[in-house]
Amino acid sequence: MSAPVSAGAVWRRVLPVWLGLMALLALACAAAYAPLGPWTVAVSFGIAATQALLVALLFMRLDSASALIRLTAACGLFWSAILFSLSLADVLSRLTRT
Amino acid sequence: MSTRVAESPASLADPDELALGLPESYLSAGSTLGSWLTTTDHKRIAILYALSVTLFFFIGGVAATMVRLELFTPQADLVGADTYNKLFTLHGVIMVWFFLIPSIPTTFGNFLLPLMIGARDLAFPKLNLASWYLNVLGGLTTTAAVLAGGIDTGWTFYVPYSTTFSNTAVTVGVMGVFISGFSTIATGVNFIATTHLLRAPGMTWFRLPLFVWAMYTTSIIFVLATPVLALTLILVAAERTLGLPIFDPARGGDPILYQHLFWFYSHPAVYIMLLPGMGIVSEVITCFARRRIFGYEFMVYALVAIAVIGFFTWGHHMFTSGMSPYAALIFSFLSFVVAVPSAIKVFNWTATLYRGQVGFESPMLYVLGYIGLFTVGGLTGLFLASIPIDVHVQDTYFVVAHFHYIMVGATVSAYFAGLHFWWPKFTGRMYPETWAKFAAVLMFFGFNLTFFPQFIAGYLGMPRRYHVYPPEFQVWNVLSSSGAAVLAAAYLMPLGYLTWSLFFGARAVNDPWNASGLEWRTTSPPPRDNFFGRPAVLGKPYNYHPEGAEPVHDQPRMPSQGSLT
Amino acid sequence: MSDPAIATEALLREPWDGLKLPEEQALSYQRTGATFGIWIFIASEVLFFGALFLFYTAVRAEHAEAFAAAARETNIVYGTVNTALLLTSGLTAAAASRASEHAALIRLTRWCLVATALLGLAFLVVKGLEYREDIAEHLVPGPGFKLPEASAQLFFGFYWLSTAIHGIHLMIGIGLVARLIVIGWRHPERIPGNPQVEVTLLYWGFVDMVWLFLYPALYLAGRSG
């Protein structure tokens, strides 16, 4: 581990991430009121995904985690993708038919 | 090194260890109730689970008996429509969530997984104990729902009936299942972490016994499917108790979405019930055919493939639900795909028997029965995966027969195979073999007599979940109910003679079947810490070659007379 | 981890102590196991909330206008303040997790744990204020609901349920952090290097992430136009 030993070293690692997250929050809030039409959903959830990625990588330290743990996290996403894609295959194709 | 081991396994042993008298087993580590209820020993927790699972099996069995008794005649003579609905719901809920899902993983898995990989315990022993308490709490909650008037929705809790119309104790029932879900997730987390981190030196992934692979793949399903069910049950409970609109079609809700969420869990749950049995079959069939498993790597890939592809097929339960036909087409195709690895397993087991020195001891009889019943159940599954046939037989006894062949015929046979195979290891006692053989054969015939007629009745159009039926179906129902009586006898017999053996059975030696796994390299029953010293593994599992030879043991043998119980 | 002040012996648990490893290595391996275990659980939780968001996605696709109209009724001020509170608690949690690796940073660890729990409580207080306002505005589905379209109630079905489930997760997180605070108060030597610190704070991080997706789902839909 690239051991930070002083309190300052700990904060230097995490504070910039927090600033980035707060900036993204402000951006998301502003973008929600912007006239982006159908892109609004993509932008707001895209920002959320970016924030979640930052939290996972830098707060929960997936960036320095072992391959096994990254794989575990990826499994959660992959299986969610199965759930979403096959369920929505039905829901969306039902919608287009009616 | 390895040739020396082959010549004389005992040459590896520490002479001091061999000179030990009878070692102390896990059973003698304390006999008070408190010592059992606070234990963190994976073996004792397995015994706790065995007791609770057996209790729930017989609760579910009583309900099944009532159902079959009612169906003996076409009229309603024993129970009315409402009671009948509650009976088959009770049977389904208890059998699925409190017997079939936990049965093999929490008993055999808990007991054997650390032994088979050469570990001292599971990774998180306290979590393991907590999972038993959650399971019992869930089971008692669901049983309380029965006492509070029962549930009449069927085990599937389909909305909007379960949320809007049913006047029965649905909320309490689903909360019981919800609680037990945490129990299975905890077990899954424990098994995965244990398999990854606590394997003995030399126990590489491709030296794992197939039972361990089966537990590992089952745990993946536990962890990734169960939370979806948990959330779905919360949605049902919230809609019922808080009146929140979730699936209510009157307010724009989508009941088909409920079925997606439910079957995203419940179809993989079929593989939760199936994969552990496949693991047991692989252990038993190699031992009694004295052969190395045919195509070990492909058996592993097949287990993994079933676990993963099993998540892609849930829609075949919904072909007639109003789901989009495009989605139905995709699900039908994917359901055919999952049959491939299942077929690989059946072919490889059969090939394992080829030129083996097949013995017909009771565990092997159960396993041979398993292969037959699983094949019938699997092939009729292909009927149901093809949309035109499914539309014809949806909600008939054909479906009932199909899933009972898989979940009862196959899985329960495997459960009994494992119970007999490892009974000497669990308890240190031998059971009466003649009785066991008789029960195994009786179970096979009783099962087929019960459920094969249901294929015919179903194909002829008899719908499921009715307490009355047209008289032309009576012949099939009489056959089925008679078979159920035989089956009940076959299930009760082991309860009798296994209990008898606890007190009067002969002391088991450490390796009564001359089997090859690590769990046989310790005493019967094993000591608290499982092994004397830390085992190391030098070769592949199922070391039964060459033909007729004794298996090659990696480990020093313990004194063969078992341990103090 | 060669930090001499880490109380290895007090932290080692069964069965990791029986691996015939030196104590420090065994503790490090135990920590690997604990981290792996909580990540498996988090993957499981991803599916749990995944199912909840699937419900949202499907119903929003089926009733896009009603959802936009209903989402405009939520109070974006409360939502944004709460997001900021949770992100800040994520900051203190991450700092506590990193500081807990070093016995020299025990004070920082403890203060960050306290701050994390307090920020979590602040979130719940704001949530409570928001609930009170929602109830006053008749945003509880059922008779007398504020909006005329029936399917707008679906959005608020999701709103109440998802915030309640997230709130329960957060309360569990606060409880776990509070437990660490108590341990650190009674036995300060048991905090540095303790695998439970990282496990608890990983769980906290996950609860944060869930909210990051609930925020656009509940507060940002239907604001423009």
Side-chain angles (χ1 to χ4, degrees), chain B residues 40 120 122-125 185 189 192-193 196-198 223-224 227-228 231 234-235 238 245-246 251-254 257 261 264 528, chain C residues 14-17 19 29 33 36-37 40 43-44 47-48 51-52 54-55 58 62-63 141-142 150-151 153-154 157 161 165:
Chain B
T40 53
R120 199 177 75 160
L122 288 173
F124 313 113
I185 292 175
V189 170
I192 294 175
H196 271 277
L197 300 175
L198 293 176
V223 167
L224 294 169
V228 176
L231 190 272
I234 289 183
L235 293 178
I246 307 286
R251 288 185 279 186
D254 184 349
L257 187 64
L261 291 170
F264 179 85
R528 168 65 185 92
Chain C
E14 210 186 12
W16 309 93
D17 55 354
L19 295 174
Y29 204 51
F36 183 39
I40 301 170
S44 185
L47 265 292
F48 182 84
L52 189 62
L54 173 68
F55 168 72
E62 287 164 1
H63 307 283
S151 45
Q153 298 191 22
L154 280 171
L161 204 63
I165 292 174

Side-chain angles (χ1 to χ4, degrees), chain B residues 62-364:
Chain B
V62 167
T65 310
M66 303 280 283
V67 164
R68 279 320 320 169
L69 276 176
E70 166 55 41
L71 292 176
F72 202 79
T73 59
Q75 314 83 30
D77 24 37
L78 184 65
V79 295
D82 280 342
T83 313
Y84 183 82
N85 290 348
K86 289 172 185 173
L87 280 174
F88 72 67
T89 304
L90 170 68
H91 169 68
V93 170
I94 294 285
M95 284 301 201
V96 167
W97 280 297
F98 300 100
F99 177 71
L100 286 166
I101 298 251
S103 59
I104 295 175
T106 59
T107 54
F108 302 128
N110 254 331
F111 199 104
L112 294 168
L113 180 74
L115 281 168
M116 284 182 162
I117 64 172
R120 199 177 75 160
D121 207 318
L122 288 173
F124 313 113
K126 283 184 191 162
L127 185 67
N128 197 19
L129 181 64
S131 93
W132 181 71
Y133 279 103
L134 286 171
N135 182 274
V136 171
L137 184 66
L140 293 180
T141 310
T142 305
T143 316
V146 176
L147 298 177
I151 311 165
D152 65 353
T153 60
W155 77 280
T156 49
F157 302 120
Y158 267 13
V159 297
Y161 182 72
S162 65
T163 49
T164 313
F165 302 105
S166 174
N167 290 317
T168 53
V170 177
T171 310
V172 183
V174 299
M175 280 301 110
V177 176
F178 174 78
I179 295 167
S180 80
F182 283 104
S183 158
T184 50
I185 292 175
T187 302
V189 170
N190 229 332
F191 283 5
I192 294 175
T194 308
T195 313
H196 271 277
L197 300 175
L198 293 176
R199 283 170 286 128
M203 182 59 96
T204 57
W205 283 94
F206 280 90
R207 286 176 180 177
L208 288 176
L210 287 170
F211 182 76
V212 175
W213 270 107
M215 283 303 116
Y216 180 73
T217 46
T218 305
S219 302
I220 291 177
I221 307 178
F222 272 161
V223 167
L224 294 169
T226 315
V228 176
L229 175 76
L231 190 272
T232 313
L233 295 177
I234 289 183
L235 293 178
V236 169
E239 180 156 2
R240 262 188 89 83
T241 55
L242 309 174
L244 293 179
I246 307 286
F247 299 115
D248 181 6
R251 288 185 279 186
D254 184 349
I256 298 178
L257 187 64
Y258 169 84
Q259 298 189 20
H260 280 298
L261 291 170
F262 180 81
W263 290 112
F264 179 85
Y265 164 79
S266 290
H267 190 70
V270 173
Y271 298 108
I272 292 177
M273 304 173 206
L274 195 61
L275 292 172
M278 292 177 157
I280 290 179
V281 168
S282 301
E283 299 299 316
V284 173
I285 207 166
T286 47
C287 178
F288 291 101
R290 315 305 302 167
R291 298 288 287 173
R292 189 167 278 176
I293 194 90
F294 182 87
Y296 172 85
E297 277 82 4
F298 267 84
M299 293 300 259
V300 172
Y301 298 144
L303 285 172
V304 176
I306 292 171
V308 175
I309 301 171
F311 275 94
F312 288 80
T313 64
W314 78 80
H316 63 226
H317 296 267
M318 302 164 55
F319 287 155
T320 60
S321 69
M323 181 173 63
S324 140
Y326 305 112
L329 206 63
I330 298 169
F331 280 121
S332 174
F333 169 74
L334 290 167
S335 305
F336 278 105
V337 172
V338 80
V340 175
S342 310
I344 289 177
K345 299 215 70 99
V346 172
F347 290 134
N348 284 13
W349 288 322
T350 318
T352 304
L353 292 173
Y354 177 66
R355 298 192 64 192
Q357 293 172 316
V358 182
F360 292 96
E361 285 88 345
S362 49
M364 188 65 162

Side-chain angles (χ1 to χ4, degrees), chain B residues 499-536:
Chain B
T499 310
W500 178 89
S501 80
L502 283 180
F503 301 100
F504 308 109
R507 292 262 175 197
V509 295
N510 291 338
D511 187 7
W513 314 115
N514 205 1
S516 75
L518 264 187
E519 76 271 27
W520 304 105
R521 302 281 77 75
T522 183
T523 53
S524 295
R528 168 65 185 92
D529 288 345
N530 288 349
F531 296 98
F532 299 90
R534 185 131 204 250

Side-chain angles (χ1 to χ4, degrees), chain A residues 17 20-21 24 49-61:
Chain A
V17 186
L21 287 169
L24 283 170
T50 315
Q51 286 176 313
L53 194 70
L54 284 174
V55 170
L57 287 180
L58 301 169
F59 279 178
M60 298 164 78
R61 289 194 283 181

